[in-house]
Amino acid sequence: LESIEFTINIILSPSAPIVCTLLPFCTFKLEMVNALRRKPQKQSPLKIAAILLILVAVIFLVGDPFHPSASYLRSEEEEVDVVPEYSKKESIAKEDLVQEGRVFTFELGNLKGETTGSFTIRTRPSWAPLGVIQFHELVDSGFFDGCRFFRVVPNFVVQFGINGDPSIQSRWRKKIIKDDPVVTSNAQGTVTFATSGPNTRTSQLFINTNKKGNAFLDKQGFSPFAEVISGMESVDLINDEYKEKPNQGMIQNKGNVYLQQDFPNLSYIQRVKESSKL
């Protein structure tokens, strides 16, 4: 049997044709064309079906590329010329696997309605030991005190973890840790490190707020290391007025001076205290 060739015109930009064989006797030829150069042509039902088949295959293999929030959790860190010190954290992490984590309460200010509140999280070394060690070091150093929730996407995540003092933030940007395998899903209330690519975790975190969870993040390597065990009602009151408008580069360089001037209503962390050791 001869292969059957279908030409599918996807109106994006001029490019060389791409050939993709999906079935033993069906070769699909994808030609990228410029909408401004060629008038739209009527597509046969067979061509439309082929396009839908390819889109379904892409979504199945790599996750939904059109999800509006897929890029939100990538921290916008500039490249830092530093060699991560993995070995020390890996040895500590192995010891912490026998522990059940620690419990911390985040006291919050400037919530919706100009109120205050708090939430409590419990770290889970068995989920992501390297992430837990990094987080413990951040809390023990007082890093999160005064940090703003600079990216808040309703029914998705709240993101924080850029220190208000640029000199402190600069030091932590060099403390890069390796990725942990994803062993639990990004369910509502789980806490996860944001990244700028593989093995780039430093200090930025997000809390999953979607009631149905954000399971699509699991395939992208986002590994939860802790969970909110009380106070999700306070997390839901974190101000979402500015969505993702604050510029991370400006926060890195000017800290809270920039945020207080341009985004005065951001909710923030007043302090973090350890509730108990389990």
Side-chain angles (χ1 to χ4, degrees):
L1 294 175
E2 296 182 357
S3 64
I4 304 171
E5 183 178 89
F6 299 95
T7 299
I8 305 170
N9 295 325
I10 300 179
I11 302 173
L12 291 175
S13 62
S15 176
I18 303 171
V19 177
C20 174
T21 302
L22 297 181
L23 299 173
F25 305 110
C26 296
T27 300
F28 295 88
K29 180 179 180 183
L30 281 67
E31 182 181 359
M32 318 297 278
V33 297
N34 192 326
L36 298 179
R37 294 184 178 179
R38 183 180 300 179
K39 294 182 180 180
Q41 300 175 1
K42 293 184 178 180
Q43 302 294 335
S44 69
L46 184 59
K47 290 183 178 180
I48 294 174
I51 294 173
L52 292 176
L53 178 62
I54 293 171
L55 289 176
V56 170
V58 170
I59 292 171
F60 178 78
L61 292 174
V62 302
D64 187 353
F66 305 111
H67 195 291
S69 53
S71 63
Y72 286 170
L73 304 176
R74 299 298 179 186
S75 60
E76 297 169 7
E77 301 277 8
E78 297 177 359
E79 292 187 4
V80 179
D81 186 15
V82 60
V83 178
E85 297 182 2
Y86 295 142
S87 57
K88 179 180 178 181
K89 287 194 186 298
E90 287 176 339
S91 62
I92 296 175
K94 290 178 182 178
E95 297 175 3
D96 270 25
L97 280 173
V98 299
Q99 301 178 10
E100 296 199 22
R102 296 162 65 184
V103 177
F104 301 94
T105 296
F106 285 65
E107 297 179 356
L108 310 179
N110 212 24
L111 298 177
K112 292 178 181 178
E114 298 182 356
T115 59
T116 59
S118 66
F119 65 86
T120 300
I121 73 170
R122 174 180 178 176
T123 56
R124 299 282 190 178
S126 61
W127 289 359
L130 296 178
V132 166
I133 293 301
Q134 181 86 337
F135 177 76
H136 286 173
E137 291 182 2
L138 286 161
V139 173
D140 292 341
S141 71
F143 177 89
F144 294 111
D145 296 354
C147 283
R148 267 57 181 170
F149 294 95
F150 60 85
R151 178 179 281 168
V152 184
V153 184
N155 199 37
F156 181 44
V157 299
V158 295
Q159 189 168 336
F160 62 103
I162 300 180
N163 194 274
D165 183 338
S167 63
I168 294 176
Q169 180 61 29
S170 177
R171 293 197 296 272
W172 277 96
R173 287 177 64 191
K174 300 175 182 178
K175 297 184 178 182
I176 304 170
I177 62 170
K178 190 164 59 175
D179 292 336
D180 284 298
V182 179
V183 300
T184 192
S185 185
N186 282 270
Q188 182 187 28
T190 53
V191 188
T192 307
F193 275 90
T195 72
S196 58
N199 301 315
T200 58
R201 297 182 297 174
T202 55
S203 64
Q204 291 194 43
L205 313 174
F206 62 88
I207 302 172
N208 288 289
T209 59
N210 187 344
K211 292 181 180 180
K212 296 181 179 180
N214 295 316
F216 76 98
L217 296 176
D218 304 346
K219 298 178 182 179
Q220 299 183 32
F222 291 101
S223 178
F225 68 88
E227 61 182 334
V228 176
I229 57 175
S230 68
M232 273 303 292
E233 64 275 8
S234 292
V235 175
D236 291 336
L237 288 176
I238 292 173
N239 191 359
D240 58 5
E241 173 183 351
Y242 305 113
K243 303 294 190 294
E244 55 170 341
K245 291 181 180 178
N247 182 281
Q248 290 193 35
M250 292 291 289
I251 307 174
Q252 300 274 1
N253 293 326
K254 296 188 176 181
N256 283 348
V257 172
Y258 158 68
L259 292 176
Q260 289 170 338
Q261 177 179 337
D262 291 7
F263 307 97
N265 296 330
L266 286 176
S267 300
Y268 64 93
I269 299 167
Q270 294 176 329
R271 67 170 181 159
V272 182
K273 61 181 181 181
E274 186 162 8
S275 301
S276 65
K277 291 187 177 181
L278 301 181

